[in-house]
Amino acid sequence: GTEKLQQLVRADSRNRIQQTDWLAARLIDFLAGVTDRGPDQWRWARFDDVDGFRWRPVPPDHDFAFINADGLLLRAIGTFTKRLVTFTDDLPQLGSLTFSSLDIDRQFLHSLDSAAWTSVVENVQMKLDDEVIDRAVRAMPREHYAVSGTNMTANLRARRGQLPAMARRFYRQLAQHVDVHGSDQAELAEIRREADGSVAVMVYRNAPDLVSATGNGYGLARVRRAFYV
């Protein structure tokens, strides 16, 4: 579960989130209109890496997918909770899609730059081609497909085309205020202000070995005082 994973990541920096997988899973949520995506809606699978463990998200709980919050009563309730949306050919507002998940989105997407986001979006769009969408919708019970299959197929295709624009809004929202998480271990945070005004923050394990290897002995004391976490 997510709570246990967060404890592991905080205790040992060798545990890392496969952030591209998290972003891909969230884009699928956007496509299906899943707005109930709190920490309890995820499980995690561990894969051994050369210097630790990679944790990949497993999204088993889609209880808010393809909902249709129509009618006067639901519209009234929708003014108080952003989770109630209607599955149409337009993606909902970003605030609805991230209503339950923004805190963990900030924690699990902080390492990806805009180029990585673009690559993930393009990969999701490529894999969700028309054939995949048609086959998925036709997997519904025959009676259900007869009622809503054609409309659902058209909506999914339209929403797929809107993913890049929504992803850009999502990226800008997270990039305005970035959460950088370290672990309980001794680490070195390197902070650089780039010429274009951006700030790059990199957190390393085994900080004393890293600093010694750079040969910048003159800055060791200053670095230790300022940036050990």
Side-chain angles (χ1 to χ4, degrees):
T2 303
E3 183 178 354
K4 178 64 175 178
L5 174 67
Q6 289 171 319
Q7 293 172 1
L8 292 172
V9 171
R10 185 165 55 248
D12 190 338
S13 60
R14 292 178 300 172
N15 294 289
R16 292 187 292 275
I17 310 297
Q18 187 65 39
Q19 298 199 8
T20 52
D21 285 5
W22 176 262
L23 177 56
R26 295 294 289 123
L27 293 174
I28 298 298
D29 287 342
F30 289 6
L31 195 71
V34 183
T35 58
D36 186 25
R37 268 306 194 203
D40 293 340
Q41 272 74 38
W42 297 90
R43 295 295 180 265
W44 296 87
R46 193 187 80 177
F47 294 81
D48 293 342
D49 206 349
V50 290
D51 60 346
F53 311 104
R54 290 282 178 177
W55 291 87
R56 303 180 66 179
V58 181
D61 189 351
H62 292 85
D63 54 351
F64 266 63
F66 307 113
I67 63 173
N68 186 4
D70 202 2
L72 292 178
L73 179 59
L74 288 179
R75 288 176 184 172
I77 297 174
T79 61
F80 299 98
T81 174
K82 295 181 179 180
R83 290 189 299 174
L84 292 180
V85 297
T86 298
F87 183 76
T88 67
D89 58 351
D90 283 326
L91 289 171
Q93 295 294 319
L94 182 60
S96 296
L97 294 170
T98 61
F99 178 77
S100 301
S101 62
L102 191 55
D103 287 343
I104 51 177
D105 285 332
R106 288 193 180 282
Q107 181 178 359
F108 294 162
L109 289 174
H110 68 272
S111 294
L112 301 180
D113 59 18
S114 59
W117 278 64
T118 299
S119 177
V120 172
V121 173
E122 291 176 349
N123 188 50
V124 169
Q125 288 185 301
M126 179 185 68
K127 291 184 175 180
L128 292 175
D129 59 22
D130 290 349
E131 181 182 354
V132 169
I133 290 176
D134 292 346
R135 187 167 64 247
V137 176
R138 287 187 178 276
M140 294 191 301
R142 181 176 56 189
E143 294 80 4
H144 194 172
Y145 181 84
V147 173
S148 59
T150 301
N151 187 57
M152 180 175 287
T153 299
N155 287 349
L156 285 170
R157 292 180 179 180
R159 291 161 76 103
R160 178 188 58 195
Q162 298 165 25
L163 284 178
M166 182 61 73
R168 285 193 294 271
R169 289 196 290 272
F170 191 24
Y171 174 79
R172 287 195 296 267
Q173 180 186 47
L174 298 182
Q176 287 178 349
H177 301 283
V178 180
D179 292 349
V180 179
H181 291 258
S183 73
D184 292 336
Q185 298 172 318
E187 296 170 330
L188 176 71
E190 179 185 355
I191 304 173
R192 294 201 312 261
R193 182 174 294 278
E194 307 292 358
D196 62 359
S198 64
V199 176
V201 179
M202 288 162 285
V203 180
Y204 301 95
R205 292 192 297 116
N206 302 323
D209 295 338
L210 177 69
V211 176
S212 298
T214 65
N216 295 331
Y218 67 90
L220 182 56
R222 177 183 61 81
V223 169
R224 279 181 172 166
R225 287 199 304 269
F227 295 140
Y228 270 126
V229 294

